[in-house]
Amino acid sequence: MTIDSVRGAPDTPELAEPELVQLLTPEGERVEHPDYPLDLSAEEVRDLYRDLVIVRRLDLESVALTRQGELGLWPSLLGQEAAQIGSGRALSENDMAFPTYREHGVAWCRGVDHLNMVGLFRGVSHGGWDPAEHNFHLYTVVIGAQTLHATGYAMGVQRDGVVGTPSATATIAYFGDGATSQGDVNESFVFASVFNAPIVFFCQNNQWAISEPLERQSRIPLYQRAQGYGFPGLRVDGNDVFACLAVTRKALENAREGQGPTLIEAFTYRMGAHTTTDDPTRYRLKAEEEAWKLKDPIERVKAYLVRNDYADTGYFDKVEDEAKQLARDLRNRCLSLPDPKPLTMFDHVYAEHHPLMTEEQEQFAAYLASFEEEAK
Amino acid sequence: MTTLTLGKAMNEGLRKALENDPKVLVMGEDVGKLGGVFRVTDGLQKDFGEERVIDTPLAESGIVGTAIGLALRGYRPIVEIQFDGFVFPAADQIITQLAKMRMRSLGALSLPVVIRIPCGGGIGAVEHHSESPEAYFTHTPGLRVVTCSNPVDAYTMIQQSVLSPDPVIFFEPKRRYWDKAEVDVESAPSDWTPLHQARIVHPGEHATLLAYGPSVKTCLEAAAADEGRSLEVIDLRSLSPLDIDTVVESVNRTGRCVVVHEAPVFNGFGAELAARITERCFYRLESPVLRVGGFSTPYPPSRNEDDYLPDLDRILDAVDRTFAW
Ligand SMILES: Cc1ncc(C[n+]2csc(CCOP(=O)(O)OP(=O)(O)O)c2C)c(N)n1
Ligand SMILES: [Mg+2]
């Protein structure tokens, strides 16, 4: 018995290689794209470089902390720095971001202390930051759920009557290639489309959903899905921070001006394991990882800076030192994170008094106190 | 006899089910090449092929919904939900579709779908990976709900579940995946404990501890630690249907009962047990049935889970209270 559908590759004739928006080649050469002009000063490029290096360093430190047993697990962003920094730096202050669990780079752009993420995966909180303070929502672990929240948020912006005005707010929803199979994500496309919501769907196609390659989720390039829902979609080189910045900026502008949603597929690669508990050698080839290594998002910016004499070794060393210092600082602060006190479990479950919370909290307090009595 | 972990015993049971019936399928996220995030389906795709051990798109409603369709076409899908917290996207398909179709068709349709769900806490996981959602399903007529607590039951109960003409929700206590025991993989199904029968796993005289899934081991530890009293421990194994007779027989002997589960106590499965025991054992009870479980809060950050989960001390404290009544 053979079944065509389990063969993986489509039987349809080879689709033409989809267009990929790229502004900086892996070799660090600047290329122009008619739809996405981008003028960056030397300083702006250096800032992007600094962002990329720092988020990678903080991520590596988080992996190390996990290996040493300090965190339960860690979903690394390794390889996806450009997609996250490019899109994250495209946001203006008022824009609202809805992340998955891997958007540590976007969090950095929104000024959310990396210690919060580390705390979440250490198990001292379920988040810890105030989403409204940073315009960066809580991490969402349940795949795809946040895309509907983002769409609803954007519908709220619409109802505020600010779309098309200077105080317009765009919303950006992050999700992965695997998430595109979820009902929630497809429903968010429908809602965003029929209501013309001011939203950008930013899909980091890192080629894998744990062990499942993209072919398990789609037979067409993901960005082409948008067409079926009635809004534009495009594919960008997700390892090119310039291109990610440019396309996201434009999509956000379109949203703010009332032109509705855009789907951006950032074509990138998950260089590490799914999380620290995963073992990718069971399902993918080293050669694939090696091939993607050549497209590293940081090396190409460095090459560009060198090529144009925008930065020298002194600058690179300085950034390196700063990243190292931040990592050291992160480690120290992580190690001194206190475990939450047992009775705090009952806090914040409801806004207002709930007798069951009080009852159980009091009983548990008395129970804990009985041990202290015994110890005396 | 072979020494197997609970996870490996599940794997062997699934393998037998696939061998015994070509209509049996295994489907879910990452169950194929990876062998599941807990390796429960390790090697099955290699041995039974991609047609029968299916890595599905990432969509729980899709997984259960298509499993229903496959069952309508004569297959017996064993579905894996990767973690307890991710079963809810499939809630409509399970609660509204899967559970009701037999009755809606006046018995014409049979949906032998098994939904495997690693459940419970204790592994230091991030949110949504430590839930105990059994009561949502025991509250749904049309579903059978079972849970194993040890490798032998894992091996036998999964095979029995596959044979069930009704849908079965099969909970696997994830923090016990690595527990080992001797399993007789050659044993005849006729020698196995029936799927819906409870088992006294530690006989005792003074009080009955009722548990299932991950809490059985904790209760056994509590019974061993209690030097003054002899505690009987019952592994319920099946929550729906419930083997209430085994429970009633025990409580009528001991006169005291403590129910232990990880799910929040309020409206948890223990409430059903307490009510039924009160109805059946009223004159034999020396004290009210007490419940020990999770608190009525969302599952806390993992650094708090030792406070949240019922442990030996909290179980023995409840036993003390039944004696102090
Ligand atoms: C509803 C739901 N089902 C399953 C999971 C388990 N899970 C966590 S991450 C993941 C894969 C996600 O892949 P993708 O969307 O591509 O994002 P990536 O991890 O690659 O960033 C799965 C299946 C989950 N978190 N939520
Ligand atoms: Mg992915």
Side-chain angles (χ1 to χ4, degrees):
Chain A
M1 177 178 63
T2 55
I3 301 174
D4 297 343
S5 68
V6 298
R7 288 283 166 74
D11 296 332
T12 42
E14 276 308 287
L15 294 162
E17 195 55 27
E19 202 210 339
L20 182 78
V21 178
Q22 189 182 66
L23 300 181
L24 186 65
T25 68
E27 293 71 37
E29 245 171 280
R30 185 73 170 79
V31 281
E32 294 298 330
H33 190 290
D35 299 334
Y36 302 102
L38 183 70
D39 221 355
L40 293 174
S41 69
E43 192 184 347
E44 284 168 320
V45 180
R46 281 196 299 266
D47 285 349
L48 288 172
Y49 176 81
R50 173 178 170 268
D51 285 339
L52 292 165
V53 169
I54 287 174
V55 299
R56 177 172 290 183
R57 190 66 192 77
L58 291 177
D59 187 77
L60 287 175
E61 196 64 28
S62 311
V63 171
L65 283 163
T66 312
R67 298 236 183 286
Q68 290 148 15
E70 297 297 336
L71 311 186
L73 60 78
W74 182 256
S76 166
L77 62 57
L78 191 65
Q80 299 176 223
E81 296 88 351
Q84 296 196 12
I85 296 300
S87 62
R89 286 299 178 205
L91 297 169
S92 38
E93 207 179 313
N94 281 339
D95 294 338
M96 180 69 188
F98 285 80
T100 69
Y101 41 82
R102 206 187 286 285
E103 267 69 72
H104 324 309
V106 185
W108 164 260
C109 297
R110 303 309 276 170
V112 178
D113 188 344
H114 192 84
L115 187 68
N116 288 295
M117 284 74 196
V118 161
L120 193 163
F121 288 101
R122 183 176 171 86
V124 303
S125 80
H126 288 324
W129 62 93
D130 176 359
E133 188 188 329
H134 300 277
N135 280 340
F136 184 76
H137 191 66
L138 296 176
Y139 272 10
T140 299
V141 169
V142 179
I143 300 296
Q146 76 283 1
T147 58
L148 281 169
H149 311 156
T151 302
Y153 191 93
M155 288 163 62
V157 169
Q158 240 175 348
R159 275 148 188 75
D160 289 346
V162 293
V163 176
T165 74
S167 52
T169 293
T171 300
I172 189 166
Y174 288 91
F175 54 100
D177 44 294
T180 60
S181 293
Q182 282 286 12
D184 279 6
V185 175
N186 288 275
E187 289 169 28
S188 74
F189 290 173
V190 171
F191 275 67
S193 176
V194 303
F195 295 118
N196 202 40
I199 187 170
V200 175
F201 292 108
F202 195 91
C203 175
Q204 286 168 80
N205 175 1
N206 63 9
Q207 315 300 327
W208 292 93
I210 310 189
S211 72
E212 297 194 7
L214 185 64
E215 302 86 75
R216 280 292 108 204
Q217 320 293 344
S218 185
R219 285 191 171 207
I220 58 160
L222 291 174
Y223 76 94
Q224 289 180 9
R225 293 244 179 114
Q227 199 192 355
Y229 290 96
F231 53 87
L234 64 102
R235 180 181 277 185
V236 62
D237 180 346
N239 287 14
D240 172 355
V241 71
F242 293 179
C244 288
L245 178 69
V247 300
T248 314
R249 255 188 199 163
K250 182 154 182 193
L252 290 165
E253 260 165 41
N254 288 347
R256 289 189 211 104
E257 284 163 10
Q259 293 176 51
T262 305
L263 170 62
I264 297 173
E265 176 191 2
F267 204 71
T268 179
Y269 194 75
R270 193 195 78 206
M271 291 301 295
H274 170 68
T275 69
T276 42
T277 58
D278 175 41
D279 173 13
T281 62
R282 291 179 73 102
Y283 54 81
R284 73 183 193 190
L285 297 173
K286 198 86 195 145
E288 188 181 280
E289 292 169 26
E290 293 301 323
W292 275 93
K293 225 179 228 167
L294 303 176
K295 303 179 193 172
D296 185 73
I298 302 187
E299 283 309 312
R300 69 177 78 181
V301 182
K302 189 171 187 179
Y304 176 81
L305 285 169
V306 171
R307 201 184 275 259
N308 291 283
D309 263 337
Y310 285 171
D312 55 16
T313 10
Y315 174 78
F316 294 126
D317 290 347
K318 200 180 95 207
V319 171
E320 208 54 54
D321 285 347
E322 185 189 2
K324 230 183 252 171
Q325 186 51 46
L326 283 169
R328 207 173 304 140
D329 177 54
L330 173 74
R331 164 172 294 269
N332 291 336
R333 290 189 302 143
C334 169
L335 297 183
S336 53
L337 273 177
D339 284 353
K341 296 230 162 39
L343 293 175
T344 61
M345 277 189 292
F346 301 91
D347 296 343
H348 309 301
V349 181
Y350 297 95
E352 294 182 351
H353 174 70
H354 188 297
L356 185 62
M357 292 303 104
T358 315
E359 179 190 315
E360 290 192 2
Q361 191 175 30
E362 283 173 4
Q363 278 172 2
F364 192 43
Y367 168 79
L368 293 173
S370 71
F371 288 91
E372 274 152 37
E373 288 297 306
E374 269 173 38
K376 273 180 202 159
Chain B
M1 287 285 182
T2 325
T3 308
L4 296 178
T5 61
L6 193 153
K8 183 66 181 157
M10 283 300 311
N11 180 271
E12 291 295 332
L14 290 168
R15 175 176 292 279
K16 275 266 158 53
L18 284 158
E19 276 168 12
N20 290 344
D21 182 353
K23 294 290 188 188
V24 169
L25 308 173
V26 167
M27 53 196 288
E29 296 155 9
D30 306 289
V31 299
K33 209 160 186 183
L34 182 65
V37 294
F38 291 107
R39 306 293 181 264
V40 167
T41 54
D42 193 22
L44 298 180
Q45 187 180 69
K46 191 168 121 280
D47 295 341
F48 297 94
E50 290 179 41
E51 290 90 348
R52 297 188 63 201
V53 180
I54 306 166
D55 270 330
T56 65
L58 203 178
E60 287 76 12
S61 181
I63 295 169
V64 177
T66 55
I68 291 173
L70 283 156
L72 289 171
R73 186 68 191 177
Y75 288 86
R76 304 184 91 88
I78 309 172
V79 158
E80 175 177 298
I81 299 292
Q82 200 161 77
F83 282 91
D84 33 60
F86 309 140
V87 68
F88 302 110
D92 169 66
Q93 290 296 344
I94 299 174
I95 294 172
T96 308
Q97 309 301 329
L98 183 63
K100 296 184 167 69
M101 230 174 257
R102 174 180 298 278
M103 199 246 203
R104 288 172 55 227
S105 69
L106 301 178
L109 296 176
S110 201
L111 295 178
V113 175
V114 177
I115 301 182
R116 298 181 35 240
I117 310 176
C119 71
I123 63 163
V126 74
E127 55 180 348
H128 317 303
H129 291 72
S130 307
E131 317 257 312
S132 300
E134 63 272 11
Y136 296 108
F137 301 105
T138 57
H139 195 62
T140 302
L143 301 175
R144 292 172 184 270
V145 182
V146 303
T147 170
C148 57
S149 69
N150 61 75
V152 173
D153 283 351
Y155 176 72
T156 57
M157 288 173 74
I158 187 62
Q159 294 182 67
Q160 292 168 318
S161 297
V162 173
L163 295 177
S164 167
D166 293 318
V168 177
I169 309 293
F170 192 100
F171 284 107
E172 301 169 14
K174 67 174 82 80
R175 70 174 146 135
R176 308 295 184 210
Y177 271 138
W178 300 273
D179 286 6
K180 286 186 186 154
E182 295 292 308
V183 181
D184 183 0
V185 292
E186 304 301 331
S187 61
S190 54
D191 293 337
W192 299 347
T193 308
L195 180 60
H196 298 299
Q197 189 172 307
R199 185 189 293 129
I200 298 175
V201 287
H202 185 271
E205 293 168 42
H206 301 133
T208 303
L209 299 182
L210 296 180
Y212 51 88
S215 302
V216 173
K217 186 174 178 185
T218 321
C219 285
L220 285 170
E221 287 165 0
D226 195 329
E227 286 168 0
R229 297 162 298 210
S230 149
L231 305 181
E232 177 144 306
V233 180
I234 295 181
D235 179 355
L236 294 175
R237 299 172 78 250
S238 176
L239 306 185
S240 178
L242 174 67
D243 176 9
I244 192 70
D245 290 342
T246 299
V247 172
V248 166
E249 186 280 322
S250 170
V251 177
N252 276 339
R253 261 190 291 115
T254 62
R256 293 182 167 83
C257 181
V258 174
V259 183
V260 182
H261 56 55
E262 293 189 8
V265 164
F266 188 84
N267 231 324
F269 192 70
E272 181 63 35
L273 289 165
R276 283 188 183 267
I277 293 165
T278 309
E279 285 164 13
R280 299 273 301 267
C281 311
F282 191 69
Y283 289 108
R284 300 292 190 96
L285 282 172
E286 303 286 345
S287 72
V289 178
L290 295 185
R291 291 167 290 162
V292 184
F295 297 109
S296 298
T297 70
Y299 198 88
S302 63
R303 293 254 162 176
N304 271 148
E305 70 182 343
D306 288 345
D307 302 311
Y308 178 89
L309 293 171
D311 61 2
L312 213 129
D313 285 331
R314 273 174 62 207
I315 294 169
L316 291 177
D317 173 68
V319 173
D320 288 347
R321 282 184 284 129
T322 68
F323 278 92
W325 211 269

